[in-house]
Every structure is written in C-alpha cells, then in structure tokens.
Amino acid sequence: MHPFRRAVEAGDTAAIAGLLADDAVFTSPVVFRPYHGKAITAAIVRAAARVFEDIRYVREIVGADGRDHALLFQATVNGREVHGCDFLHMDEDGLIDELTVMVRPLSGATALAEAMGAQFEQIEREVLSS
C-alpha cells in the first residue's frame, strides 16, 4: 500500500504533507491552472480531507519504474457519489512532486467544486500561516 493512501485512509494530513516535495504541483479536477508548492498542495489536501466523506481506495496501479502511481477511490461529497483517481509522481527522493486528481461523474465533480470553493478562504489562511 502506498504511504499516501495509508495516510489518506488514516486521515493523517500531517503525514501527507511529509510526503510532498517542496516543489510539488497539484492539478485539480475542477480548476484549470495547477497550484505550485508544498504549502498550497498540503492545504488543498487538508481541505479535501474535510470535504470527502468516507473515502476508500479500491485499486492501486504502479508504473514500471515505481515512480508513477494511480490510486482509484470512491467517496461521497455533499451526498453525491464520486469516483476518482489520485495520480502521483515521485521525485528522485521518493517524495510526491506531482499530484493530479480526477473525478467523475459530472454531478460529483460539481459537488466537489462547490464544496472546495467553500474551503478556499481557509486554504489561503493556512498557506499564509505556513
């Protein structure tokens, strides 16, 4: 089991932050531009932990070189079922330097966009205080 999956399933956002490279890039399923840096990526992941209900991973796929991982999950957001995938890329030090999240169906993605939008003031406060 990938350490990111273990930390997400345990709700251990501090452990997740410890897995991120300083130059981590987060690509959102609902916002076009990526977010750059460990602080914003960690804050977004903490917000996602508040938004996703009953997240459970159902499959892991690992690339041939061991640096790429696809973690398929199911969760609920504001009563909407969401199926998604966390795509991770590991740098030379074994830290996550790219985290891309994709979700479906559209109703779930819309619920996620609304729920995460409501989190952005807190995300910005967390980034400024880090």
Side-chain angles (χ1 to χ4, degrees):
M1 178 183 304
H2 192 278
F4 181 85
R5 173 184 176 176
R6 190 174 10 262
V8 169
E9 289 178 338
D12 190 347
T13 55
I16 295 168
L19 297 171
L20 299 172
D22 288 339
D23 62 348
V25 176
F26 176 79
T27 304
S28 165
V30 295
V31 177
F32 179 73
R33 72 173 174 82
Y35 296 92
H36 296 268
K38 181 176 184 170
I40 186 71
T41 300
I44 290 170
V45 170
R46 286 189 297 272
R50 294 188 294 268
V51 165
F52 281 111
E53 304 159 26
D54 67 345
I55 189 166
R56 61 210 171 280
Y57 287 93
V58 296
R59 190 170 177 196
E60 288 188 37
I61 302 167
V62 181
D65 66 0
R67 292 179 64 184
D68 291 294
H69 302 264
L71 309 176
L72 287 77
F73 65 85
Q74 296 174 353
T76 305
V77 176
N78 290 336
R80 295 287 184 180
E81 187 173 338
V82 176
H83 292 221
C85 189
D86 293 331
F87 294 99
L88 311 176
H89 182 269
M90 315 305 285
D91 67 11
E92 301 81 27
D93 298 321
L95 297 173
I96 300 167
D97 61 359
E98 293 177 20
L99 169 56
T100 299
V101 180
M102 295 192 174
V103 297
R104 63 165 300 281
L106 180 58
S107 61
T110 300
L112 179 60
E114 291 170 0
M116 288 298 289
Q119 295 285 320
F120 251 84
E121 282 186 29
Q122 183 168 344
I123 290 170
E124 289 172 344
R125 284 193 303 272
E126 290 178 18
V127 171
L128 291 174
S129 68
S130 63

